[in-house]
Amino acid sequence: MMKYLFAKNEDIPAGTASIYFGFSSIWWFVIGTGLGSFNAAKLAFPDFVTGTELFAFGHMRQVHVLAVIVGWISMAFGMTMMYMTPALGKTKLWSEKLGIWTALLWNVGLSLGLILLWMGITSGREYSDLIWPIDLVVIFGVLVPLGINVWMTIAQRRTQGIYITNWFFGACIFMVTITILVGQSAEIFNLTGLTEAYLTFWHAHNLLGLWITPVAAAIAYYVIPKLTGNPLYSHRIGHLHFWAIIAFYSTPASHHLLSAPLPEWLKSFASVEGVLILIPAIAFVANILLTLKGRWSMFVENVEIKFSVTGVLLAIPLNMQGGFQQTRAINWYVHGTGWIVAHAHLALLGMSSFLEAAAVYFGLQSAMRRKLYSLALANFHYWFFIIGFCTYWITMTIAGLIQGAGKIYEVPYIDVVIAEHPYMIGRWVGGTMVFTGNMVWLYNMYMTAREGTVVPKGRYAHELAYER
């Protein structure tokens, strides 16, 4: 890919930027889940790797979180935008060269940011950990060029309307840029106290609500109809999903601060809007599952559908749980416990990552025009991923309930630690299974690029993958 950095745009094969983004995303997924497994081991076995400051949990946790969000998830989004946006507009990507440079800057900026974090150079603000010069690289070196490429590709489309996936892509790049600009302003303008706390969680929650979950949903709107051959069940419901996200998802961040001295009206407003998030969630899940009508057998046969549908189904407990825990009584019980950690992983590692894995599987085969090297390894990846994730989610949810009970009944802290220890081991086992599956996935896609059967013209890669 590096040879195309200084080539003319017309000399770069279509899909090159997408391939670069795709392999980068898998690589960061391996790193992110590897760090997660390492951190979980430190919580399960307190004597694991001690005495070195760089490997302390406080250093490693930030690196794990940003490697997953900015590396895996966001680069998988970049990949999907590079191949879905032009496909849906029946045109070419506006600039493959800009896409390649964006992916390069993304990798360089993220690597630099994570090294600084690992060394302890941080803004000290949760989920906004990168120092502001790195934030500027993220905004002006990555998001703005990505947005220009997507927006210009949509503008030069050869279709009359804009498909729902491209509505999400175009809007979410704009919204996440605003989220980062506003969310980081607390650091630039030296805001402190409650204002700083609110902006921190406004930034953190909107990364989830205006970037991660809606773009993941946009992927499903493309992958499911494309692979099943069924048209989307309802474009109107898709637009209801889109506008409900815009209306209800931008302000409920204060549900993270229900115990803080925020104005009562703001906390009530956040709780109500938090429950209203069920509207876009139900619209999305119903629309996708109805699109599968008559094609449910593909859930067993097709690995991309298997990943996609699992991600969609995980959106059900994700959004039910989200609305449930935003009521004040429940929030008071679970706040600051492992329940919240489990819920966050249900969004990022569950719903979102399964949909992105499907898109990367499909996109890399299509862009490289090569048959998947091993369907058996892909199924191995799926089962290690789903079993590992469920093990993690269930054990952390139980640990959170134990911690909540300990908080209410004023149980001595050491007794809570002893009670939750088996669940910390379960957390490590589940996370390590996900990490193992991802290493197998990286090998499978590397071998697909190197030795996969070339897909002949007129055939689709995902069709050929299931022929013996």
Side-chain angles (χ1 to χ4, degrees):
M1 308 274 172
M2 303 299 285
K3 65 180 181 181
Y4 294 122
L5 285 172
F6 300 101
K8 293 180 179 178
N9 191 52
E10 54 269 25
D11 294 335
I12 303 174
T16 303
S18 178
I19 295 170
Y20 197 178
F21 267 106
F23 275 102
S24 298
S25 69
I26 301 174
W27 174 246
W28 282 112
F29 202 14
V30 171
I31 292 176
T33 50
L35 291 171
S37 173
F38 180 86
N39 291 342
K42 292 182 74 67
L43 294 175
F45 312 106
D47 294 331
F48 178 69
V49 187
T50 57
T52 305
E53 183 182 343
L54 286 177
F55 293 105
F57 184 80
H59 274 264
M60 301 298 288
R61 177 186 173 275
Q62 298 168 313
V63 182
H64 157 65
V65 170
L66 291 185
V68 170
I69 294 177
V70 185
W72 153 239
I73 293 176
S74 297
M75 293 206 79
F77 287 166
M79 183 215 180
T80 61
M81 293 172 185
M82 294 297 104
Y83 81 86
M84 291 183 185
T85 308
L88 290 168
K90 298 187 184 305
T91 185
K92 293 182 178 179
L93 184 67
W94 184 66
S95 174
E96 288 284 345
K97 188 173 182 177
L98 180 60
I100 294 170
W101 272 100
T102 305
L104 177 66
L105 274 176
W106 203 314
N107 280 307
V108 171
L110 179 59
S111 301
L112 179 61
L114 295 187
I115 289 171
L116 292 176
L117 275 185
W118 195 28
M119 294 170 63
I121 301 173
T122 167
S123 68
R125 303 172 65 237
E126 191 174 16
Y127 302 116
S128 312
D129 310 88
L130 298 175
I131 56 177
W132 65 266
I134 300 296
D135 291 326
L136 294 180
V137 174
V138 171
I139 294 171
F140 296 106
V142 174
L143 288 177
V144 171
L146 179 70
I148 291 172
N149 224 348
V150 169
W151 297 326
M152 291 304 296
T153 303
I154 294 174
Q156 69 177 14
R157 71 189 184 281
R158 296 176 182 173
T159 57
Q160 186 175 5
I162 300 175
Y163 186 68
I164 187 67
T165 296
N166 279 345
W167 272 95
F168 275 99
F169 283 170
C172 288
I173 295 174
F174 174 76
M175 292 189 294
V176 76
T177 304
I178 299 300
T179 295
I180 294 176
L181 275 173
V182 176
Q184 300 297 336
S185 62
E187 182 185 356
I188 296 173
F189 296 108
N190 295 316
L191 300 179
T192 57
L194 198 57
T195 309
E196 191 272 346
Y198 181 70
L199 274 183
T200 294
F201 280 96
W202 184 86
H203 171 266
H205 196 85
N206 282 357
L207 282 183
L208 180 72
L210 300 179
W211 176 242
I212 295 174
T213 55
V215 178
I219 290 171
Y221 281 122
Y222 177 87
V223 170
I224 298 289
K226 183 73 176 179
L227 291 179
T228 61
N230 288 346
L232 181 65
Y233 175 74
S234 170
H235 289 272
R236 289 185 177 180
I237 295 178
H239 282 275
L240 169 67
H241 175 200
F242 176 83
W243 289 110
I245 287 277
I246 301 296
F248 301 136
Y249 227 136
S250 58
T251 55
S254 51
H255 67 232
H256 289 275
L257 300 167
L258 290 182
S259 300
L262 284 175
E264 286 298 312
W265 70 265
L266 183 56
K267 289 192 278 190
S268 299
F269 185 62
S271 294
V272 172
E273 279 217 318
V275 176
L276 289 176
I277 290 173
L278 286 171
I279 294 174
I282 293 171
F284 165 63
V285 172
N287 210 1
I288 294 297
L289 296 186
L290 287 169
T291 302
L292 275 163
K293 186 178 180 182
R295 304 290 285 171
W296 274 95
S297 60
M298 294 184 73
F299 183 49
V300 178
E301 303 162 354
N302 183 294
V303 72
E304 291 91 351
I305 291 291
K306 198 177 293 183
F307 273 100
S308 296
V309 174
T310 302
V312 174
L313 293 176
L314 287 173
I316 298 173
L318 170 67
N319 290 285
M320 295 295 291
Q321 194 181 52
F324 175 69
Q325 69 195 30
Q326 288 182 54
T327 55
R328 291 200 183 195
I330 302 300
N331 190 276
W332 179 72
Y333 189 93
V334 301
H335 181 75
T337 71
W339 171 290
I340 302 299
V341 180
H343 177 68
H345 280 76
L346 177 56
L348 302 180
L349 188 60
M351 180 257 182
S352 172
S353 287
F354 276 91
L355 286 166
E356 289 136 25
V360 174
Y361 266 112
F362 175 68
L364 279 180
Q365 292 176 70
S366 300
M368 295 188 298
R369 296 202 62 77
R370 289 186 182 268
K371 178 181 175 180
L372 188 65
Y373 173 69
S374 171
L375 190 57
L377 289 180
N379 279 311
F380 176 90
H381 176 215
Y382 173 81
W383 285 111
F384 258 59
F385 196 169
I386 187 64
I387 294 173
F389 165 73
C390 288
T391 303
Y392 180 99
W393 180 42
I394 293 170
T395 52
M396 281 308 295
T397 299
I398 296 173
L401 293 173
I402 293 173
Q403 293 162 359
K407 178 175 63 175
I408 288 176
Y409 296 108
E410 299 181 348
V411 177
Y413 180 69
I414 188 61
D415 291 341
V416 175
V417 171
I418 292 171
E420 69 181 2
H421 186 236
Y423 304 101
M424 292 297 112
I425 295 176
R427 169 189 191 156
W428 170 70
V429 170
T432 303
M433 287 185 70
V434 174
F435 170 57
T436 305
N438 287 337
M439 286 197 295
V440 170
W441 185 25
L442 181 61
Y443 171 76
N444 200 9
M445 298 316 294
Y446 169 73
M447 293 303 292
T448 299
R450 184 174 176 178
E451 298 186 8
T453 305
V454 176
V455 177
K457 290 184 178 179
R459 299 295 307 276
Y460 289 110
H462 64 278
E463 294 175 348
L464 202 63
Y466 300 95
E467 292 181 1
R468 302 295 181 185

